[in-house]
Amino acid sequence: YDLCAETAQFYHTMLMRGKDGRPREYFASRGMGGDVCRRYCLGFAPGRNALVSHLSQAGFTPQEMIDANVAVSRGRGQLADRFYDRVMFPIFDEQGHNIAFGGRIMGDGQPKYLNTAETSVFHKKRNLYGFNWAKEFIVAQDTAIVVEGYTDCIACWEAGIKNVVATLGTALTRDHLELLRRYTQDVVALFDPDAAGRKALDRSLELFLGANMSARALILPDGLDPDDFVKKYGPAKLEELIALAPAISDYYIDSVLGNGKTFEENRDLVKTAMEFVGKINNEIEKNLFIKRIAEKSGIDQALLKREIHRKPASAPSGAGVKKPSG
């Protein structure tokens, strides 16, 4: 914890007072001026072993730097900064301890984002960016909004929408939901409109049903992320869309069953939806799903229920079994 706190302060100093003006220009271009950078302790990693040198002078050992994953071993006792020439977002745990970092490249190159690897205090499948700041607003509004990126989170906070957290380069997990459900049962998940976003929607729906939580889905129009949407339309419009966001189950059915253009496509989409229903353990939720599919597809509800409970026919005795030769 101490090493991460010292690292965050070093990165922040490099951003605010360093000779390299590019990171300040980058943040300013994203609408994040000095006050925002100070508020969220944003930083800059210059690389060239500047951090290793600073932490050594502060009394931290090479092994402690490696264990916190802010430095990597180059062999023969040599260390190198893990983050180089990136703007930095410190990551905090639920109690507000600095536990990790996310670094974004300022220009072209890969990977665009680089996170601290798993450590003894950081697990990206359990932690959510900004939860330490957002939790009191989540309780007050009894709703959590989940976005995908650091800048999306900050843009919402700066626009006055404070009950927002972000995943850390991973889809929502059961551990994330366990964390959220201690503060609210209502979650609005913002998804990207691309294929990856649709896949995340499918996976998230299974998780929410399994956690017995109320969830709503929101995909912003024009392919915009929350950061760009707030800048273009303002926070009031985003809050309006959040308030109108449909139940994630309804959105799933509408998005899956609303895309068929031919008989074959519609048949396959209904089959896909019914395969998903087969994964639902709660009988009430399963029946509600079947009812919605029947309404959307025009197929008799009783027929769909018989289909979902029908066991696959077993192969005839001896079928497909080769007799031994000789």
Side-chain angles (χ1 to χ4, degrees), residues 207-222:
L207 290 174
F208 281 116
L209 288 173
N212 204 21
M213 291 177 71
S214 170
R216 291 178 284 146
L218 178 58
I219 293 182
L220 297 175
D222 306 326

Side-chain angles (χ1 to χ4, degrees), residues 49-57 65 70-72 79-82:
N49 284 7
L51 176 66
V52 167
S53 176
H54 174 81
L55 291 177
S56 296
Q57 292 175 18
M65 298 180 213
V70 298
V72 292
L79 289 184
D81 291 0
R82 172 171 169 76

Side-chain angles (χ1 to χ4, degrees), residues 85-161:
D85 203 32
R86 291 176 180 269
V87 292
M88 302 300 294
F89 298 82
I91 298 166
F92 301 87
D93 66 10
E94 184 180 356
Q95 288 76 36
H97 299 119
N98 194 172
I99 55 174
F101 299 90
R104 191 196 192 283
I105 199 165
M106 291 179 287
D108 297 327
Q110 294 296 328
K112 184 195 293 188
Y113 284 99
L114 182 65
N115 280 343
T116 302
E118 302 275 305
T119 71
S120 60
V121 296
F122 174 60
H123 308 280
K124 65 182 180 180
K125 291 184 178 181
R126 298 181 195 168
N127 294 106
L128 290 163
Y129 179 71
F131 192 81
N132 56 306
W133 294 309
K135 61 184 181 181
E136 65 179 281
F137 299 99
I138 290 172
V139 171
Q141 299 178 48
D142 196 21
T143 303
I145 303 164
V146 181
V147 298
E148 292 187 336
Y150 309 115
T151 54
D152 291 332
C153 222
I154 292 174
C156 288
W157 292 334
E158 288 300 299
I161 305 172

